[in-house]
Amino acid sequence: MADVASPSVRPGRSYRYAGKPIRRAEDADLLRGAGGFLADIPTPDAAEAFIVRSTHAHALIRGIRSEHALKNPGVIAVFTAADLDLADDALPCLDMLVGTLDVRHRVMAKDRVRYVGQPVALIVALNRYLAEDAAALVEIDYENLPAVTDHLQAIEGNAPLLYPEYGTNIVYETRQHDGNSAFVAREGDLVIRKRFEFHRQTAVPMENRGVIAKLVDKGERIHVESTTQIPHTLHTALTTAFGMDASQIRVTAPRLGGGFGCKEMVYPEEIIVPAVALKLKRPVRWSEDRREYFGSAVHGREETVDAEAVVGPDGVFVGLRLTGWANIGAAFGLVPNSPITAMAAMVRGPYRIPNLDARMFSVVTNKVPLNVLRGAGAPQAALLMERLMDEAAHALRMDRAEIRRRNLLRPEELPLDRGETDFAGAGRIIYDEGDYPRCLSAALKLANYEDFESERASASQKGRLCGMGIAMYVEITAVGPYENARVRLQPDGTIILFSSIMPMGQGSETVQRQLVAEELGIPMEQVAVRQGDTDEVPDAIGTFASRGAAVGGAVARLAARELIKEILNRAAAHLGIARDELSWENGGITCSRLEPFIPMAEIPTRLAARNGKANDGGIEARFRLDVAHPSYAYAAHIAVVEIDPETGRIEIPRYIVAHDCGKVANPLLVEGQIVGGVVQGIGQVLREKVVYDVNGLLQTRALMDYVLPGAADLPPDFRITHMETPTRFNPFGMRGAGEGGCTGAQAAVSNAVTDALRGYDFSVEGSGPFTPTWVLEKLDKPLRIPAR
């Protein structure tokens, strides 16, 4: 055993990374412009594509003529639906349950268009400029049909039908029951009935979408590179569309410049561009501009929900009844029904409310298809529930915090089964461990809640309207059904983690390196991460639903644990000793007999030398983590707003969050996710709205029309406190943290705005946006443009 390690070698130091506030390792490349996005991938020999899109919201296609376009300089080909020869032209939809009408999005329109922006043809040319010029020469003969954009109008008997074969625009229905669904008000109970309108929004990531497709391996395979959060789902969709074997297709996704759910979708372009590359037998590239993004990338949120709450005279909620309609646009996206199923499943949040009866519908209209947007239906659920809490408190003359305390579930009531749901990836809703009352108390203390009325009075003396809004939620995170990862010890002693968790600004590379290094006891710098390649991790799920660290990080750490076992097994065999004489400590092998130490970096060379051969491809281990139950993060948000009644401007001087996402892998990244999510939520409730006219023509087609939050909208005083309650549903006690900030912000700000305007006897019953014009209309004041 003396030759295993020289007497001078001592066990290494212990590296501990889990739970540490480590700065993102990827930021240096991002700040230098070396991030490696799709636009950075060199394709010098690629032809470029431009999509010819419908200019009509609803019409029959009577003919397409492309002769003039083909004669334009640099044009290689023009393709329509008839030219693609697909085995299956339906895009996937993952939450089509039994009884759902099949209104899946088609790759390219054939005989009918149903929204402005739907792909109708594709031009391939030497570059995008020539392709875009030629697109104007494609002649499409449309026969106009009546359009419908309002989902409540779409369910009326005389409404135009998007799919006449079904005889209805209602394409999906879900029921969520718990307790006694037939509950009724008793004598003395308060009954609150309100209609909530949630406006249409979109994600607006910094990076638009794009696809590159090329034949590889002597033309035997096709390699598709796409800006997708879900490369494996896209891989499956391509095999279905082309009727090819899975081994013939490789999908890779580079680093993404944001996603927020809009890239959790299989898009027509991701099928069209590879189909054209196969036909032309040459690389083809497509890049989206911002105008295309607004008119073709999926939207989110748009719903109408009628709510009835029965509340006892003591402020305790008896039951909640909902009827809701989601405007899902012209066809199913990947998970178009999830927002309304999430709304129904999670609407009660952290509150006891024993009885629930929810009935929700998906309605098709002549708009861009709906899909999930950061938080899915959780922001809508929180806004509705928290508005009802405030309205009940106001009607009963009860303190807003007190009515919440009376309804909050207690720690001893958890875990709690809240019933079956149609929400994709959830199954039964079973809340895990938590302490909701402590979370509320922490937020109230941090917000100086008891002193707020003096703050309101001080703002009033300055001529400003001041309000405070409280919002709590419980959010489903870390959904399954499983995830895979593999870890390899390279011949040079470094570690590579192969993962399906896509880097899109959330710091996934850093946190996964942290967790692998933690398990192996080695420096983080020794770990590299490769993500988004269906060849390297053939069977995986992807990046969404706050599962990056809690699921992707957990499976990476478990794969590292398996790697240790494999290394020790090989070492024992090569050294000719019993396996139980070896152990793993501080990033290397120790032997119980002579206490030698082989550090990780030397293991491949030592084992190869002992075996009498050169280094091979390294030592590798895999792990599959099956997720039986999602985990549930929760938080309390408090927003303080000040409104200038002369200009209608809303400012948020202070924002408070107390949250619990279980064991925190990296508090710095969690804080960034919360702050970023809150800012996104603020933007969506104060600024952002997708607008169509009555004819189905999109009005918000640029960032001048769709206004994002800016630095002036950020709260200057942002306070966050962490709670850490490990969950039993995760091997390392982690819950997701990616969507909570957005989930709580809309509700907290909405309640704060209502509180500020309470003197005008006005109540917010929707998600805004609360623009200066909106405020002045509610105050019955004209809009004044300040003099420059």
Side-chain angles (χ1 to χ4, degrees):
M1 290 293 297
D3 62 339
V4 173
S6 66
S8 62
V9 176
R10 293 289 182 266
R13 57 168 287 197
S14 176
Y15 291 89
R16 289 293 173 257
Y17 295 108
K20 304 297 183 183
I22 295 170
R23 298 179 68 177
R24 302 194 327 172
E26 52 267 46
D27 283 354
D29 282 347
L30 293 172
L31 291 170
R32 288 198 307 264
F37 299 93
L38 188 82
D40 300 313
I41 297 173
T43 50
D45 55 344
E48 296 206 42
F50 182 79
I51 307 291
V52 180
R53 302 182 184 277
S54 170
T55 55
H56 294 247
H58 198 193
L60 298 177
I61 300 175
R62 295 306 190 189
I64 302 176
R65 293 178 294 280
S66 58
E67 297 84 1
H68 296 302
L70 280 167
K71 294 177 183 177
N72 221 46
V75 173
I76 297 167
V78 178
F79 291 89
T80 65
D83 303 315
L84 296 181
D85 300 327
L86 298 175
D88 189 339
D89 73 336
L91 299 179
C93 175
L94 301 184
D95 55 5
M96 283 181 61
L97 301 179
V98 175
T100 306
L101 301 185
D102 189 355
V103 294
R104 284 175 292 169
H105 198 299
R106 265 37 209 186
V107 170
M108 192 176 283
K110 292 179 180 177
D111 55 1
R112 181 188 293 247
V113 292
R114 295 182 173 89
Y115 67 94
V116 172
Q118 185 172 1
V120 178
L122 177 133
I123 309 288
V124 183
L126 296 178
N127 60 53
R128 179 187 168 100
Y129 305 102
L130 295 172
E132 192 165 349
D133 287 345
L137 302 176
V138 176
E139 300 173 33
I140 305 173
D141 183 10
Y142 290 109
E143 180 183 327
N144 251 337
L145 295 172
V148 59
T149 58
D150 184 280
H151 46 291
L152 296 182
Q153 292 177 3
I155 63 178
E156 295 177 357
N158 59 349
L161 295 175
L162 274 71
Y163 298 87
E165 62 271 29
Y166 293 127
T168 179
N169 288 324
I170 296 176
V171 295
Y172 171 80
E173 177 182 353
T174 182
R175 297 292 298 269
Q176 174 78 27
H177 301 283
D178 195 25
N180 176 19
S181 60
F183 67 91
V184 294
R186 305 158 299 189
E187 185 176 355
D189 283 347
L190 169 68
V191 179
I192 303 172
R193 295 185 179 91
K194 285 188 174 293
R195 168 165 286 186
F196 291 87
E197 300 282 357
F198 301 99
H199 65 279
R200 181 167 281 237
Q201 302 165 9
T202 187
V204 200
M206 291 181 68
E207 177 200 34
N208 289 330
R209 299 179 295 127
V211 184
I212 302 170
K214 57 191 174 185
L215 297 179
V216 295
D217 297 341
K218 300 181 179 179
E220 296 297 317
R221 304 180 76 209
I222 184 164
H223 179 194
V224 179
E225 299 168 279
S226 180
T227 52
T228 179
Q229 297 175 223
I230 46 171
H232 295 82
T233 303
L234 174 57
H235 183 272
T236 300
L238 288 165
T239 62
T240 302
F242 299 153
M244 295 171 65
D245 187 80
S247 63
Q248 296 176 276
I249 301 172
R250 178 190 182 192
V251 174
T252 59
R255 179 177 281 141
L256 304 182
F260 311 112
C262 79
K263 294 173 183 173
E264 185 189 335
M265 169 74 182
V266 175
Y267 282 99
E269 298 87 352
E270 293 175 304
I271 308 296
I272 297 170
V273 173
V276 169
L278 284 168
K279 279 191 164 290
L280 297 178
K281 299 191 183 305
R282 65 178 296 172
V284 178
R285 181 185 193 112
W286 169 76
S287 298
E288 176 186 64
D289 63 24
R290 188 61 70 183
R291 188 177 179 88
E292 280 185 288
Y293 168 80
F294 278 107
S296 61
V298 290
H299 297 160
R301 303 275 195 254
E302 189 172 11
E303 302 176 31
T304 298
V305 182
D306 287 339
E308 177 186 272
V310 176
V311 187
D314 57 356
V316 175
F317 276 61
V318 175
L320 183 61
R321 185 168 286 115
L322 306 176
T323 305
W325 303 266
N327 187 331
I328 70 162
F332 282 148
L334 186 74
V335 278
N337 300 313
S338 286
I340 59 168
T341 53
M343 151 73 83
M346 303 307 300
V347 67
R348 290 176 290 174
Y351 304 115
R352 190 170 294 102
I353 311 179
N355 304 309
L356 173 69
D357 180 19
R359 188 181 186 192
M360 315 295 278
F361 302 91
S362 292
V363 182
V364 287
T365 67
N366 296 111
K367 291 183 176 180
V368 168
L370 195 81
N371 207 57
V372 292
L373 173 59
R374 194 176 193 177
Q380 299 95 295
L383 193 155
L384 183 149
M385 190 69 250
E386 295 302 318
R387 288 293 313 114
L388 291 175
M389 279 286 166
D390 268 19
E391 289 303 303
H394 180 68
L396 296 171
R397 301 181 182 276
M398 187 177 293
D399 180 77
R400 293 170 292 173
E402 178 58 27
I403 197 170
R404 286 170 169 83
R405 290 191 189 98
R406 295 186 184 189
N407 285 281
L408 284 173
L409 291 161
R410 308 293 302 177
E412 59 269 20
E413 297 176 79
L414 302 174
L416 177 67
D417 188 337
R418 306 218 81 165
E420 193 70 34
T421 176
D422 291 341
F423 187 23
R428 296 194 71 83
I429 300 294
I430 302 176
Y431 284 7
D432 41 10
E433 298 84 348
D435 192 337
Y436 308 146
R438 184 164 72 94
C439 186
L440 175 61
S441 296
L444 293 171
K445 181 178 180 180
L446 207 58
N448 300 321
Y449 180 72
E450 300 299 331
D451 298 328
F452 174 69
E453 289 307 321
S454 62
E455 182 177 351
R456 191 201 301 270
S458 176
S460 179
Q461 291 176 359
K462 300 174 185 176
R464 298 170 72 84
L465 305 173
C466 185
M468 174 180 280
I470 304 172
M472 297 190 71
Y473 66 84
V474 175
E475 175 200 13
I476 187 169
T477 72
V479 301
Y482 64 90
E483 196 53 83
N484 278 299
R486 64 188 182 103
V487 177
R488 177 192 295 164
L489 172 59
Q490 294 284 88
D492 64 359
T494 60
I495 293 291
I496 297 180
L497 165 67
F498 300 93
S499 169
S500 74
I501 301 302
M502 290 305 306
M504 51 186 183
Q506 78 279 46
S508 64
E509 295 158 277
T510 295
V511 75
Q512 289 187 93
R513 290 175 65 194
Q514 276 184 259
L515 295 176
V516 169
E518 171 79 16
E519 195 64 35
L520 296 175
I522 60 174
M524 273 182 64
E525 294 74 21
Q526 209 168 322
V527 182
V529 183
R530 292 194 353 203
Q531 299 155 306
D533 190 330
T534 58
D535 275 7
E536 294 180 340
V537 185
D539 182 22
I541 302 300
T543 313
F544 52 90
S546 301
R547 68 194 308 272
V551 177
V555 73
R557 189 170 179 179
L558 292 167
R561 191 171 290 180
E562 292 298 308
L563 179 66
I564 291 173
K565 295 178 184 178
E566 180 65 20
I567 291 171
L568 293 178
N569 287 338
R570 289 199 187 192
H574 290 323
L575 297 173
I577 62 175
R579 165 64 179 78
D580 59 7
E581 291 190 64
L582 298 177
S583 62
W584 187 269
E585 295 179 20
N586 299 336
I589 300 173
T590 63
C591 178
S592 61
R593 194 189 310 168
L594 298 178
E595 298 187 0
F597 179 73
I598 309 177
M600 169 76 81
E602 298 179 17
I603 289 172
T605 303
R606 295 290 188 92
L607 294 185
R610 183 78 179 184
N611 204 33
K613 62 180 182 180
N615 288 338
D616 56 15
I619 304 172
E620 189 171 295
R622 304 167 184 256
F623 197 87
R624 171 182 167 126
L625 174 63
D626 291 304
V627 182
H629 297 285
S631 55
Y632 295 84
Y634 59 94
H637 287 221
I638 297 178
V640 175
V641 305
E642 289 188 4
I643 302 176
D644 184 342
E646 297 302 315
T647 65
R649 175 171 171 75
I650 298 175
E651 296 179 353
I652 306 174
R654 196 162 78 255
Y655 201 98
I656 295 90
V657 178
H659 80 103
D660 191 339
C661 62
K663 294 296 293 182
V664 175
N666 184 325
L668 193 63
L669 296 187
V670 168
E671 183 171 313
Q673 286 292 299
I674 292 171
V675 173
V678 166
V679 172
Q680 186 171 10
I682 289 172
Q684 291 175 351
V685 79
L686 295 186
R687 299 274 182 267
E688 304 174 36
K689 184 178 183 179
V690 173
V691 178
Y692 282 83
D693 69 12
V694 293
N695 298 313
L697 299 179
L698 182 64
Q699 304 299 295
T700 41
R701 304 202 63 182
L703 291 173
M704 288 183 66
D705 310 315
Y706 191 90
V707 182
L708 297 174
D713 296 307
L714 273 62
D717 184 358
F718 209 121
R719 307 175 189 180
I720 300 175
T721 184
H722 300 278
M723 292 170 53
E724 282 191 284
T725 307
T727 172
R728 68 182 63 191
F729 295 152
N730 182 277
F732 301 102
M734 297 186 291
R735 314 168 198 255
E739 296 165 288
C742 197
T743 295
Q746 294 196 35
V749 174
S750 294
N751 274 347
V753 169
T754 298
D755 186 43
L757 297 176
R758 184 70 74 180
Y760 291 84
D761 195 26
F762 175 75
S763 172
V764 172
E765 296 179 6
S767 57
F770 309 129
T771 62
T773 303
W774 178 92
V775 171
L776 292 175
E777 287 175 353
K778 301 310 171 189
L779 299 180
D780 196 24
K781 291 191 175 186
L783 177 63
R784 290 173 46 189
I785 307 299
R788 292 186 179 274

